[in-house]
Amino acid sequence: MKIELPGTSSPVSVGKLLCIGRNYADHAAEMQRAVPEEPMVFLKPASALVRTDEAVRLPPQSTNVHHEIELVAVVGTEGKNIPEDEALDHVAAYAVGLDMTARDLQQEAKEQRHPWSVAKGFDTFAPLGPLTSAAAVDDPQALTLRLTVNGEVRQEASTERLFFPVRELVHYCSQIFTLSPGDLLYTGTPAGVGPVHSGDELRATATGLEPLHVSVDRPE
Ligand code: MN
């Protein structure tokens, strides 16, 4: 899948989906875990991506798929070992996204000390809203995230409560991975995660960003 970075004319392919776990204290608490001392990073495949007005398809392997609303930073320029004070210069855009999670498979994986790739990586498990130029976002740590399911608010929080802020995450991840244009950084979810069902309509918003809308279905 390709995305158009603001201020550029040719679309780039989506690369890595870097995702951060337990980056809000209240979500870590609801999962009965502590916020880790270093960012907890996992990856999703680009094949998990869907855009606004598309559908999340519930896989037959899971009976408990959860929504996780997250602020997504979109990498615009390549970098390795990016210093914290230059980190935001590498972010071309922001969007609101959803880190869909098969909670039952994730729980099994945790118990068996297996990776989360399956629980997190199904097709359609990484909805991404329209991109807004980073230049139009004064402070990525001052946005209100809000997720409604069928019109009812399920998650609402300010990104000021991100434990590791965007600049720190970019700095940290770039010490491991070369960051490239088209990489996406899902920054973690606040409290209020919960199950979705076939027929649900999810609407995710963040202050100043265009909304993300997806429906949920379970294919026959
Ligand atoms: Mn998440």
Side-chain angles (χ1 to χ4, degrees):
M1 181 171 300
K2 296 204 168 205
I3 54 173
E4 291 208 18
L5 299 178
T8 64
S9 48
S10 49
V12 297
S13 292
V14 172
K16 299 178 281 302
L17 277 60
L18 300 159
C19 305
I20 309 302
R22 285 189 245 146
N23 199 21
Y24 288 80
D26 57 356
H27 171 63
E30 76 180 346
M31 302 303 289
Q32 281 143 17
R33 292 288 198 284
V35 172
E37 287 176 14
E38 288 192 344
M40 192 182 73
V41 183
F42 63 93
L43 296 166
K44 288 194 190 224
S47 50
L49 209 68
V50 283
R51 303 305 304 274
T52 195
D53 294 330
E54 296 185 329
V56 168
R57 296 194 308 276
L58 301 176
Q61 293 92 333
S62 173
T63 58
N64 190 20
V65 173
H66 278 200
H67 54 75
E68 296 189 356
I69 187 174
E70 309 201 354
L71 173 66
V72 180
V74 182
V75 176
T77 50
E78 187 171 301
K80 175 80 175 172
N81 297 322
I82 301 166
E84 225 179 286
D85 61 1
E86 294 173 18
L88 294 188
D89 299 341
H90 289 260
V91 176
Y94 293 96
V96 62
L98 293 168
D99 166 18
M100 302 306 297
T101 303
R103 196 68 75 198
D104 45 359
L105 303 186
Q106 186 194 35
Q107 187 55 38
E108 277 177 39
K110 284 179 180 176
E111 284 164 11
Q112 298 183 41
R113 299 174 179 266
H114 287 175
W116 294 0
S117 307
V118 172
K120 294 281 193 177
F122 286 100
D123 288 355
T124 76
F125 267 30
L128 177 71
L131 308 193
T132 296
S133 171
V137 177
D138 281 343
D139 181 358
Q141 263 75 237
L143 310 179
T144 298
L145 298 174
R146 183 179 295 116
L147 174 75
T148 65
V149 179
N150 304 325
E152 183 184 312
V153 178
R154 293 276 187 85
Q155 291 187 272
E156 186 168 23
S158 171
T159 55
E160 73 186 348
R161 288 164 48 220
L162 278 169
F163 189 79
F164 298 105
V166 175
R167 64 180 177 279
E168 225 173 300
L169 296 174
V170 168
H171 165 67
Y172 181 86
C173 290
S174 75
Q175 296 174 84
I176 306 162
F177 313 100
T178 296
L179 301 189
S180 302
D183 287 349
L184 307 178
L185 174 62
Y186 284 67
T187 57
T189 196
V193 301
V196 298
H197 303 98
S198 185
D200 283 351
E201 299 287 334
L202 277 54
R203 188 178 160 85
T205 60
T207 320
L209 306 185
E210 286 184 65
L212 163 66
H213 163 258
V214 289
S215 54
V216 177
D217 70 41
R218 186 180 288 281
E220 296 294 307

